[in-house]
Amino acid sequence: MRIESLYSHLSDHLFINFLNTIRHEYDQTTDILEKKDVDEWFSLMKDEQLLTDRQIEKLKEAPVSIHELQSFRDRWRTYLQHSSNELPIDELERSTKETPLSFELSSGSLVPVPHRGGTDGFLSLLSFLMLQAYENSTFSKVKNCDNPTCLALFVDKKGKRKWCSMKVCGNRVKAQKHYDKKKAES
Ligand SMILES: [Zn+2]
């Protein structure tokens, strides 16, 4: 199974795609980090133009601990889903301090590159992107999909979006409502 097909939608934010590496569909939970190689995930993010060759080359310099990534992901999923709580932004700052990043110009954009690869480098890069998202208020636009069985998070830029994917969850919820209504009528 191709890694793309494990996603209901792909975000233009790397950290959202990372937080969505856990998916629930048809009563089955799939952990993309466990099911797929992290390298495969990096390649997908490269195809989506969310990681550059240089960043991937750096990240691959040391091994990545799936366990640590899962723990970071699950923690931050909880924080963002309960946005009334104070976000532990200092955790992100600590990560970028422990593994600093430098910036390289690539095709006219500044690309953050952690000084080390592996788990620390990857978490530092994610933390940096999340600090940016916090700074530019993207965090406050992170929403849960309206489909109650879907785990996907997305950035609701205009404040109108209900589903991670209209094609997947929107249609499914509408079909279910239609079915329930018909059933109630008969
Ligand atoms: Zn959804």
Side-chain angles (χ1 to χ4, degrees):
M1 191 183 250
R2 285 171 66 83
I3 187 166
E4 295 94 306
S5 61
L6 296 172
Y7 274 93
S8 60
H9 82 297
L10 282 164
S11 168
D12 45 14
H13 292 275
L14 184 86
F15 78 94
I16 294 284
N17 292 329
F18 175 73
L19 295 175
N20 285 338
T21 50
I22 185 115
R23 184 169 183 206
H24 187 84
E25 195 185 29
Y26 303 121
D27 291 330
Q28 221 181 353
T29 304
T30 307
D31 189 326
I32 298 175
L33 292 177
E34 248 164 42
K35 201 176 165 89
K36 293 283 178 182
D37 208 287
V38 174
D39 288 356
E40 211 177 319
W41 189 83
F42 288 158
S43 302
L44 174 65
M45 292 305 111
K46 193 198 146 189
D47 293 344
E48 295 295 309
Q49 298 182 330
L50 297 173
L51 282 176
T52 65
D53 282 328
R54 173 79 182 107
Q55 286 171 313
I56 294 174
E57 181 196 8
K58 191 72 200 180
L59 293 174
K60 284 186 179 175
E61 277 179 11
V64 167
S65 153
I66 297 296
H67 188 73
E68 276 184 65
L69 294 188
Q70 285 169 324
S71 145
F72 178 88
R73 175 194 69 197
D74 298 342
R75 227 174 24 250
W76 278 91
R77 284 184 57 86
T78 311
Y79 298 149
L80 289 168
Q81 281 166 331
H82 303 91
S83 48
S84 52
N85 297 351
E86 188 99 14
L87 292 167
I89 293 301
D90 53 330
E91 185 192 324
L92 302 175
E93 287 175 324
R94 215 176 312 124
S95 174
T96 59
K97 259 181 217 156
E98 279 165 10
T99 309
L101 305 115
S102 49
F103 295 84
E104 297 174 12
L105 268 173
S106 167
S107 323
S109 318
L110 269 184
V111 175
V113 180
H115 284 189
R116 266 177 296 159
T119 310
D120 292 345
F122 186 33
L123 290 182
S124 170
L125 177 62
L126 283 170
S127 296
F128 171 75
L129 297 170
M130 288 161 77
L131 283 167
Q132 272 189 322
Y134 176 72
E135 184 206 16
N136 66 27
S137 306
T138 300
F139 264 10
S140 56
K141 294 176 188 144
V142 173
K143 278 209 322 206
N144 293 301
C145 180
D146 248 19
N147 174 358
T149 64
C150 177
L151 298 178
L153 301 174
F154 59 89
V155 177
D156 184 16
K157 283 181 207 141
K158 293 178 189 155
K160 286 181 187 163
R161 187 166 156 191
K162 289 166 90 175
W163 295 292
C164 66
S165 154
M166 184 63 210
K167 229 165 68 193
V168 179
C169 288
N171 287 341
R172 207 167 282 167
V173 168
K174 279 182 181 169
Q176 183 67 39
K177 273 187 186 156
H178 182 75
Y179 173 80
D180 290 345
K181 203 178 150 207
K182 283 270 175 245
K183 212 175 158 191
E185 280 168 6
S186 62

